[in-house]
């Protein structure tokens, strides 16, 4: 199991991790992007073992290590509008364009721990990749607790605030991930697509 001093590179490059099911209220001014199927993994929601890591960096490493074998088998397409967009046809074209897409799974973090985790992992991932998915989940499976204390989930909203607060400082832009599979997830939420601003 990785420690805080042995960070897991969260499968940057052509690999992805979990999203879980998604429901959240989305700022109508904020653009959305369809979450590609490659980003979805078997959920970690019922894995209580991750709570055994009191250190948020160690917990992040453990969650991302958990998905490593799956992640080496998938290629996440670029999804920003000007990199091919998110329609199936354009996604296929974007695969041929190349580029690297990373995924940071921040499940099991809280509104308090997400800032040091993103401070440590987001900028390095953005430097090494064209796009980065930050996966929060929506907390729909949690009837009480940290994810259910505000609409859309505390973690989802904490990541959104983090990204909004640092858009100018970090020269980044982001989209809210949208699930188009229907059912309870048809609105959106649970993941963000981030990249450095294109000049």
């Amino acid at each position: 199991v990785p420690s805080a001093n042995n960070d897991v590179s969260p499968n940057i490059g052509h690999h992805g991790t979990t999203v879980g099911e998604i429901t959240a209220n989305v700022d109508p001014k904020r653009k959305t992007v369809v979450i590609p199927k490659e980003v979805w993994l078997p959920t970690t929601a019922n894995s209580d073992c991750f709570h055994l890591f009191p250190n948020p960096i160690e917990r992040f490493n453990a969650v991302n290590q958990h998905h490593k074998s799956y992640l080496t088998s998938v290629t996440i397409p670029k999804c920003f509008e000007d990199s091919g967009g998110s329609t199936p046809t354009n996604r296929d074209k974007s695969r041929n364009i190349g580029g690297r897409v990373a995924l940071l799974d921040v499940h099991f973090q809280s509104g308090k721990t997400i800032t040091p985790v993103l401070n440590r992992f987001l900028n390095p991932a953005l430097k090494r990749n064209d796009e980065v998915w930050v996966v929060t989940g929506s907390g729909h499976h949690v009837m009480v607790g940290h994810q259910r204390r505000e609409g859309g989930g505390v973690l989802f909203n904490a990541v959104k605030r983090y990204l909004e607060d640092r858009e100018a400082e970090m020269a980044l832009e982001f989209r809210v991930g949208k699930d188009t599979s229907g059912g309870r997830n048809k609105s959106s939420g649970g993941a963000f697509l981030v990249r450095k601003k294109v000049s």
Side-chain angles (χ1 to χ4, degrees):
V1 177
S3 71
N5 297 322
N6 184 20
D7 296 341
V8 170
S9 224
N11 289 296
I12 20 198
H14 306 114
H15 314 304
T17 73
T18 186
V19 152
E21 291 184 29
I22 293 174
T23 56
N25 37 348
V26 174
D27 180 350
K29 299 177 204 166
R30 185 64 61 188
K31 290 183 180 180
T32 61
V33 63
V34 174
I35 299 170
K37 65 181 173 44
E38 293 86 354
V39 171
W40 293 79
L41 277 181
T43 184
T44 55
N46 298 319
S47 303
D48 290 334
C49 65
F50 297 115
H51 293 294
L52 299 174
F53 296 88
N55 179 296
I57 301 299
E58 290 180 356
R59 190 163 55 247
F60 172 87
N61 284 331
V63 168
N64 285 274
Q65 180 69 28
H66 177 75
H67 303 306
K68 194 170 184 179
S69 63
Y70 168 78
L71 301 176
T72 58
S73 70
V74 296
T75 300
I76 303 175
K78 289 167 59 177
C79 292
F80 265 89
E81 306 84 43
D82 56 4
S83 64
S86 57
T87 65
T89 301
N90 286 336
R91 277 206 307 266
D92 291 341
K93 288 178 186 173
S94 74
R95 288 175 196 273
N96 298 326
I97 293 172
R100 294 171 60 88
V101 180
L103 203 146
L104 308 179
D105 184 351
V106 297
H107 276 93
F108 299 97
Q109 299 299 329
S110 69
K112 290 181 181 178
T113 65
I114 194 60
T115 295
V117 167
L118 290 177
N119 283 346
R120 182 148 181 183
F121 293 105
L122 180 58
N123 204 41
L126 287 169
K127 285 179 180 176
R128 293 188 299 254
N129 298 277
D130 298 307
E131 299 177 359
V132 177
W133 283 95
V134 179
V135 177
T136 66
S138 64
H140 76 276
H141 54 276
V142 181
M143 301 324 289
V144 295
H146 76 279
Q147 276 280 42
R148 278 297 188 200
R149 291 189 192 127
E150 57 183 280
V154 168
L155 185 55
F156 176 86
N157 287 308
V159 171
K160 184 171 180 280
R161 283 189 294 270
Y162 179 97
L163 295 172
E164 288 172 338
D165 291 347
R166 289 159 180 81
E167 274 183 292
E169 173 193 340
M170 294 176 65
L172 60 82
E173 59 183 327
F174 72 94
R175 303 287 184 263
V176 176
K178 182 174 182 179
D179 175 21
T180 57
S181 64
R184 81 167 79 179
N185 305 323
K186 63 185 174 185
S187 48
S188 65
F192 297 92
L193 180 64
V194 189
R195 73 174 177 184
K196 287 288 190 183
K197 276 189 178 165
V198 176
S199 37

